[in-house]
Amino acid sequence: VRMDWFQTAGNVTVTFYIKIGQQIAGSTDHGKVAIKEDSVDVSITLKDGSEYTHTVAPLYGKIDLAQSTHVVKPMKVEITLVKASAGENWEKLEGRATADVFPDKAAAYPTSSKKGKDWTRCEIEEEEEKPEGNEALNKLFQDIYGKADDDTKRAMMKSFQESNGTVLSTNWGEVGAKKVEGQPPKGMEEKKWGA
């Protein structure tokens, strides 16, 4: 398990990455996160039965406990800690900040530009996890169906139902004229339901 963190002007994101093959056992209930006022406790039960625990304490700055959240996924646990004072720059994740660490104005970064840019106001866009395997295939079919016209939707429904799930056609001209025969994969035979 590898831990990483980054910050924006408004929050700190802490992520625990799980190695391939060691994903969280069973459901996401096997990843537990306790966000407290000055610490974060993480407990993850891995696929091999071992348990990984980590405590981040004390946190460098103050957080808004009610707004802070966490998400448990099979390959990572992501914790978003909302800063109590937006714009504060955390020098590190753990350890108390001294009073002079948070100046009244945001940090000025060196620049060759005449205008300068306030980098603390930039938001980082997070990529969504892309589905894999059957989930990706189902998403593809849902996208095709969702963007299709009525004839294409009718063709998809008719071909799938009449072939017992072995054919999926988008051509209504071909499918609407006759009954769609099942086409099982090579080495398999079609079984009629109720027979």
Side-chain angles (χ1 to χ4, degrees):
V1 178
R2 178 177 61 91
M3 183 190 82
D4 197 9
W5 72 282
F6 67 90
Q7 65 180 312
T8 62
N11 59 44
V12 174
T13 301
V14 183
T15 307
F16 291 87
Y17 296 97
I18 292 96
K19 290 181 184 175
I20 293 176
Q22 281 295 315
Q23 58 262 42
I24 295 175
S27 68
T28 54
D29 296 341
H30 288 83
K32 294 182 178 48
V33 176
I35 302 173
K36 301 175 186 163
E37 202 169 295
D38 64 345
S39 67
V40 176
D41 296 320
V42 177
S43 176
I44 303 167
T45 304
L46 300 175
K47 198 175 195 177
D48 64 3
S50 63
E51 187 154 330
Y52 172 84
T53 57
H54 187 88
T55 300
V56 179
L59 291 171
Y60 186 77
K62 296 182 189 257
I63 61 168
D64 182 346
L65 204 54
Q67 296 291 321
S68 298
T69 61
H70 71 278
V71 176
V72 178
K73 297 181 180 176
M75 298 302 285
K76 71 179 180 179
V77 175
E78 189 171 270
I79 305 162
T80 303
L81 305 172
V82 177
K83 294 178 182 178
S85 299
E88 289 180 347
N89 186 32
W90 288 23
E91 291 181 8
K92 52 189 177 180
L93 184 60
E94 294 183 76
R96 287 279 176 223
T98 56
D100 62 340
V101 170
F102 301 122
D104 289 341
K105 66 178 205 165
Y109 297 96
T111 180
S112 59
S113 172
K114 291 180 180 179
K115 290 183 180 177
K117 178 151 176 84
D118 184 3
W119 292 102
T120 59
R121 295 188 186 271
C122 291
E123 290 290 326
I124 297 174
E125 293 182 22
E126 296 183 35
E127 292 183 24
E128 290 184 21
E129 285 192 23
K130 294 183 179 175
E132 297 176 6
N134 283 340
E135 188 179 345
L137 191 60
N138 286 336
K139 182 168 180 3
L140 172 69
F141 290 141
Q142 287 171 354
D143 288 346
I144 292 171
Y145 187 83
K147 295 174 185 173
D149 61 12
D150 287 341
D151 284 344
T152 303
K153 288 180 181 179
R154 229 176 316 168
M156 290 176 76
M157 293 296 288
K158 184 175 189 273
S159 64
F160 193 77
Q161 288 176 346
E162 288 183 356
S163 70
N164 292 321
T166 59
V167 175
L168 184 62
S169 175
T170 57
N171 185 350
W172 178 248
E174 182 182 296
V175 172
K178 60 182 176 160
K179 182 176 182 339
V180 179
E181 295 298 322
Q183 298 175 2
K186 288 183 181 176
M188 312 242 352
E189 68 179 59
E190 183 178 10
K191 179 181 178 183
K192 300 286 184 195
W193 292 101

